[in-house]
Amino acid sequence: MRNPFKNIGPGALIAAAFIGPGTVTVCTLAGIQFGFTLLWAMTLSIVATIILQETAARIGLVSQMGLSQVLRTQLPPGILRKFILGLVLAAIVLGNAAYEGGNISGGVLGLQALGNSGVFFVEGIPVNGYSFLIGGIAFILLYIGNYKVLEKVFLVLVILMSLSFVITAVLTEPDVLELLKNSFIPSFPDESILMIVALVGTTVVPYNLFLHASLVNQKWKNKTDLPAARRDTIVAVILGGLVSMCVIIAASSLNGENVNSAAGLAQSLEPLYGSAARYCIGLGLFAAGITSAITAPLAAAYVAQGCLNLEQGLKSRYFRLTWMIILFLGVTLAAFGIKPIQIIQFAQIANGILLPVIAGILIWLANRTELLGSYRNSKFKNAVSLFILLITVILGTRAILSVLGIL
């Protein structure tokens, strides 16, 4: 009997990476504030993410290198290469270290929705024990250093996350025709522009591009596997986008209520749709948190490895040291409720600059015959990619202006 999971690759990890606690929160707020009307923004996000992730995966598979390695070898020596590699290191490594506490905290909120708070006191200081549980699971999976193990674990977690949010959306009994209409016909309710940008921005994530390019050559070694890698990317991104849509749909049933987080969504849905809704949201949020808590340090380690030309391999000393530092910082920040605001703001600015820069470089790399040969971009892909580049410029500008307090 044919194994339906045989050709599943790193797509599961990529889908899990962009459906983190931040995405769930943004989608919750979008649903509560605007109902179904911004579902089309998620459709746009799915298309943009497929284009960018397919390009990154194609470059990784054909070159058999991670994206940061490709940048180091393809960019001309000098100030430009140093600037771009430095920007990548700052945005991805430092950024993921700052965000890791939020990833773990998101998983903690999911567990808290299922039961008790998990808080204990050390000399009067509240400490969240769930943070150590999530950090411990992430540590074990990363330390094993086996791509196939990660792939299988993430497949299970993505299925759990998908079922959790899909069931929650179904429980709210949405109007299917309204869903379809709002998924494909753009509308711009009053004061919705920033939310539209946030929905696209939480899906089109720079570190996923680096993670995908690095993971795809762990799974496939031959250029003839490119169609399988492309299918894996498309299916995973669409699935991830649909999960995000389900969060919006579930939150839409509380239109106008004062809910400001995914955990609040779980509490608010329970009186309306029973304890099943709370458990589904809790499990989904836990899965979103723990998957992002694993992929963020993993991506940072791959980036550091490529930018600094370090020893290759999931079990190499510096690779492990990088993800260990990020995971340790994340657990510490989450356990003690610390929010490194200034570091997060710096990371947001760095990512705001990096997103359009790396999108532009991806287009350049995808057209280099010396790198990709006959697998370079077609004219149609270039046209679509340039449109996506424009979107990334808008997203990056918005992120920077937001941090500076202009928006």
Side-chain angles (χ1 to χ4, degrees), residues 80-378:
L80 177 64
R81 182 165 73 178
K82 289 178 181 177
F83 168 75
I84 290 175
L85 291 180
L87 178 63
V88 169
L89 276 171
I92 306 297
V93 179
L94 184 60
N96 285 7
Y99 300 143
E100 182 68 352
N103 293 330
I104 294 173
S105 295
V108 167
L109 288 174
L111 291 175
Q112 289 175 335
L114 300 176
N116 61 47
S117 67
V119 175
F120 61 92
F121 291 85
V122 178
E123 296 184 358
I125 300 173
V127 180
N128 198 294
Y130 286 146
S131 300
F132 298 102
L133 172 64
I134 292 171
I137 295 171
F139 183 93
I140 292 169
L141 289 172
L142 287 169
Y143 194 82
I144 289 171
N146 186 307
Y147 167 74
K148 289 185 178 179
V149 171
L150 282 174
E151 189 180 272
K152 290 175 182 176
V153 169
F154 270 75
L155 181 60
V156 171
L157 288 171
V158 167
I159 290 172
L160 171 64
M161 184 163 45
S162 302
L163 288 174
S164 298
F165 290 126
V166 168
I167 291 171
T168 307
V170 170
L171 286 173
T172 64
E173 300 180 353
D175 184 323
V176 177
L177 290 179
E178 279 294 306
L179 290 183
L180 291 173
K181 184 183 79 172
N182 286 286
S183 295
F184 297 101
I185 301 176
S187 61
F188 300 86
D190 292 342
E191 300 182 358
S192 65
I193 296 299
L194 290 181
M195 183 59 74
I196 291 168
V197 174
L199 285 171
V200 179
T202 196
T203 309
V204 183
V205 183
Y207 91 71
N208 276 351
L209 300 170
F210 290 87
L211 183 61
H212 203 172
S214 295
L215 290 175
V216 75
N217 52 60
Q218 298 279 332
K219 173 73 175 182
W220 293 293
K221 302 295 183 183
N222 199 308
K223 295 175 184 177
T224 57
D225 291 319
L226 192 57
R230 188 173 287 124
R231 283 194 300 272
D232 177 62
T233 301
I234 293 171
V235 170
V237 174
I238 290 175
L239 176 63
L242 290 175
V243 169
S244 297
M245 285 181 162
C246 284
V247 178
I248 295 175
I249 293 165
S252 297
S253 65
L254 301 175
N255 191 279
E257 290 198 20
N258 186 23
V259 177
N260 55 19
S261 69
L265 176 63
Q267 295 170 357
S268 299
L269 286 175
E270 185 173 15
L272 298 173
Y273 305 106
S275 59
R278 176 168 63 90
Y279 286 122
C280 284
I281 290 288
L283 285 171
L285 189 54
F286 166 70
I290 195 168
T291 51
S292 294
I294 297 169
T295 54
L298 185 64
Y302 273 124
V303 165
Q305 192 178 61
C307 287
L308 302 176
N309 198 22
L310 302 175
E311 179 187 356
Q312 300 298 301
L314 289 167
K315 296 182 180 180
S316 67
R317 178 174 53 178
Y318 290 109
F319 188 92
R320 281 180 166 170
L321 180 61
T322 303
W323 66 252
M324 282 181 183
I325 291 172
I326 290 175
L327 185 59
F328 172 78
L329 287 173
V331 170
T332 302
L333 294 173
F336 294 96
I338 303 169
K339 293 184 179 180
I341 301 299
Q342 290 180 325
I343 298 176
I344 289 173
Q345 288 178 334
F346 172 79
Q348 287 173 328
I349 291 174
N351 273 285
I353 298 170
L354 178 63
L355 181 56
V357 168
I358 204 63
I361 290 174
L362 272 180
I363 297 172
W364 172 67
L365 290 172
N367 283 280
R368 284 181 67 78
T369 305
E370 312 91 87
L371 179 66
L372 297 181
S374 61
Y375 297 97
R376 64 186 183 277
N377 265 11
S378 64

